[in-house]
Amino acid sequence: MDNPTDSIIRCDVLVVGGGPAGSTTATLLQRRGLKVLQLEKDHHPRFHIGESLLPANMPILEELGVLEEVRGIGMLKLGADFPEVGDNYRTYHFGRALGKTPPYAFQVKREDYDQILFRNAQRNGVDAREGVKVDKVEIRPDRSCVAQATTEHGEKLTIEARYLVDASGRDTLLGNALKLKVKNQNHQSAAIFAHFKGVTRRPGDEAGNISIYRFDYGWSWFIPLADGLMSIGCVCFPEYLKRRKGRTGEFLLETLKLMPGAVERMADAEIVGEVRVTGNYSYTCKSMSGPGYIMVGDAFAFVDPVFSSGVYLAMHSGKHAAALVADILKNPEREAQLQQAFEKRIRRGVRVFSWFIYRFNSPVMRSLFAAPRNVLKVEQGVISMLAGDVFDSGPVMRRLHLFKAIYAATGLANFRRWRDDLRERRRQSVSEFTGGNTPVDPA
């Protein structure tokens, strides 16, 4: 790598973004013998929502060499619970999953987690820099990349790279530049969230589990963190969030009162720090790759945080993108073929989560989650999905297809209720709320 003071910096791969997707991609590319420059506009540690990991994350953390570091900052998570009536709840334990995913994950403060991954990239030899914002990128006819960036001190940098990885998250660098970003018209939502202390936790081994509550206008997450804090957020129909009056924290507390079981856990709760609000944030890009570039993580798409899928999908796409880019640089004639296979894979995983997410708050899904039946191991297939096993397991996918059939049959048996719910969700999908741009994903 050229001297950092040079006006032109040359590298094999430029990775834009210092989150989980970017740090995973950069680390694994550097290990393959490539010169990698990773640029992050902020400084670690920096606040980010998205604190609940999935079991499928664990093998990637082990491959990166940071599993024990993450264990040291994390709260052990053995499952997810979905309250039924009052404070009664049903826990889906990861240990019952069909596939080979580990029986556990962690809840983490993202500022600590992201910093571990970024510093690990540096330890692996990545030229990973903070406080550098990429202003513009250009893909040349020969598929190489030229980027213009600015340091926090105002210094202008020019980067020449053989390949570009866009891991810019919700900034969607290429998605905006190439006009590929499209709002999801089928799933509009907005969120309000904060950290609390004094929130009652589940007893015993379930103390670290994520709790998901539903209410008429959306759903809520309770994520216990290792230092006694609880991350709590409500993902709402935009129309509901527009009703917000007075202080944002008071509105969050009033919303939690709509959920029996949730409000009982808040008797001694106190907000710590800032209450944040974000507007409509569900989107995807028309494509995630092209000559000379690939998108990973939220730079490509983000749907909804209900099943904690965001961080896993980001790191999974980063891991496979590293192999993809290394292969393309050795065999450039195979670029289109390799990109097509990569995009097909990532879209498949996103579709699995999306199907459940779009229907999560429907009366049919509520009834199925409240009274699961493990006929032909369908319940275990759903647990496998909750664990992040959505790519390579035939047995899991067969159970998920069977679950979809059960969902359809249950909906037809209660056709009027299903129809009314569908009409309401379609009505809500055209509503918009713009309350901020803080990234949201407890995934």
Side-chain angles (χ1 to χ4, degrees), residues 136-156:
K136 182 181 179 181
V137 293
E138 177 187 351
I139 305 296
R140 291 169 166 170
D142 65 356
R143 302 182 183 184
S144 65
C145 164
V146 178
Q148 306 297 326
T150 307
T151 72
E152 58 191 328
H153 305 297
E155 179 186 2
K156 299 295 183 179

Side-chain angles (χ1 to χ4, degrees), residues 192 194 196 234 240-241 243-258 271 275 277:
I192 178 171
F196 289 77
C234 296
Y240 171 76
L241 207 50
R243 302 179 189 178
R244 172 169 117 254
K245 295 180 180 179
R247 302 189 62 174
T248 304
E250 294 172 355
F251 185 84
L252 174 57
L253 293 173
E254 289 299 314
T255 300
L256 290 168
K257 291 179 182 178
L258 300 176
I271 293 176
V275 179
V277 181

Side-chain angles (χ1 to χ4, degrees), residues 76-87:
L76 184 64
K77 171 187 175 184
L78 299 177
D81 68 64
F82 297 82
E84 298 169 335
V85 179
D87 199 33

